Amino acid sequence: MAILEVRNLKKTFENTKVLKDISFKMEEGEALSIIGSSGSGKTTLLRCLNWLETADEGQIVVKDKVLFDATDNSRKSDAQIRENRRHFGLVFQSFNLFPQYTALENVMLAPKLNAEDTRSASEIEKNARELLDQMGLSNRTDNYPHQLSGGQQQRVAIARALALRPDILCFDEPTSALDPELTGEVLKVIRGLAEKKTTMIIVTHEMSFARDVSDKVIFMDDGFIVEQGSPQEVIDNPKEERTKQFINGIRL
């Protein structure tokens, strides 16, 4: 059973068509990398999946449940939108940590505010500490964001996303805001999550990382999915001319 199925998703901003009939499936435990040039629609796709944008057409199905159907004109309540978002965790490019909270408090905040999370405060704290330990930050729980490096802040952001126990963890260029020497520590964490069969969608420009960590790769261009398949098919042996041009350009 597919954990996620995206069906014919389309999105237009003013007169610009950003997503043009996007369809794909992914299985539970898969790591899917989405590659492509800036402006190809990758981030907009993630934002539609996380209900930060609303698609104009199409469906989003998680575990055989239709969470979004553009033909459904009924207005969704805030509670329904929050419930739909719980299926996805999103790690942003720029961390987006709350500066007034410690690393531990940042990770605990969303579960504590989630009325449907039945765990006690002590259980939430225990889980947050375990996640920070998993990120290699057990000695940084009481540090505020300004006391952390960019790589450490991004790892707190990953722990925060995991704290909500999403079905699918999404990364939007998770290393783009980092200095090159900090990129490796974040990629190491994501690689570890992939080894544990965490279901992930990763928008990335790191081609070697996408090849190594992904079960499936999608190449997007101009709002379309041009090619999708295994890393060996899409990155090492692309069939479409546009994919070949992009891969060769990256390798240069």
Side-chain angles (χ1 to χ4, degrees), residues 3 37 68 72 80 88 105 123 126 146 156 189 192 200 203-204 208 230 232 239 243 245 252:
I3 193 171
S37 303
F68 171 79
D72 181 2
Q80 286 174 308
F88 297 87
E105 290 168 339
E123 288 173 324
K126 180 176 182 290
H146 75 273
V156 173
V189 166
M200 296 186 290
V203 169
T204 183
S208 59
S230 69
Q232 293 73 29
K239 296 181 177 65
T243 315
Q245 292 172 357
L252 291 176

Side-chain angles (χ1 to χ4, degrees), residues 84-224:
N84 287 343
R85 280 179 176 160
R86 286 186 62 204
H87 293 279
F88 297 87
L90 179 58
V91 179
F92 297 90
Q93 296 180 20
S94 53
F95 323 140
N96 288 5
L97 299 179
F98 292 101
Q100 70 273 33
Y101 296 129
T102 65
L104 181 63
E105 290 168 339
N106 264 282
V107 177
M108 292 175 60
L109 185 61
K112 287 175 67 176
L113 294 177
N114 179 14
E116 297 182 5
D117 195 320
T118 58
R119 290 176 294 175
S120 67
S122 61
E123 288 173 324
I124 290 172
E125 180 177 346
K126 180 176 182 290
N127 180 243
R129 290 185 181 278
E130 289 172 350
L131 288 170
L132 287 169
D133 182 53
Q134 184 180 342
M135 299 297 118
L137 295 171
S138 58
N139 63 335
R140 296 289 186 176
T141 56
D142 295 326
N143 288 125
Y144 289 89
H146 75 273
Q147 297 171 315
L148 302 172
S149 70
Q152 290 168 338
Q153 290 184 61
Q154 189 63 296
R155 284 183 280 156
V156 173
I158 295 171
R160 179 180 60 182
L162 287 168
L164 286 170
R165 300 181 290 185
D167 292 311
I168 302 162
L169 187 59
C170 302
F171 294 90
D172 185 14
E173 297 287 0
T175 61
S176 65
L178 300 177
D179 294 333
E181 62 267 25
L182 300 177
T183 294
E185 64 187 55
V186 173
L187 295 182
K188 180 181 178 181
V189 166
I190 300 174
R191 185 175 284 108
L193 292 172
E195 290 171 355
K196 293 181 178 180
K197 293 299 179 182
T198 304
T199 309
M200 296 186 290
I201 300 175
I202 309 160
V203 169
T204 183
H205 281 111
E206 302 279 348
M207 289 301 105
S208 59
F209 174 73
R211 181 196 292 111
D212 293 343
V213 80
S214 306
D215 299 293
K216 184 185 297 181
V217 175
I218 285 175
F219 170 61
M220 289 183 65
D221 185 58
D222 192 30
F224 290 103

Side-chain angles (χ1 to χ4, degrees), residues 11-12 43 47 55 57 72 74-75 201 211 240 245:
K11 178 65 179 176
T12 299
T43 294
R47 290 178 65 84
E57 298 182 38
D72 181 2
S74 61
R75 188 180 185 278
I201 300 175
R211 181 196 292 111
E240 301 297 328
Q245 292 172 357

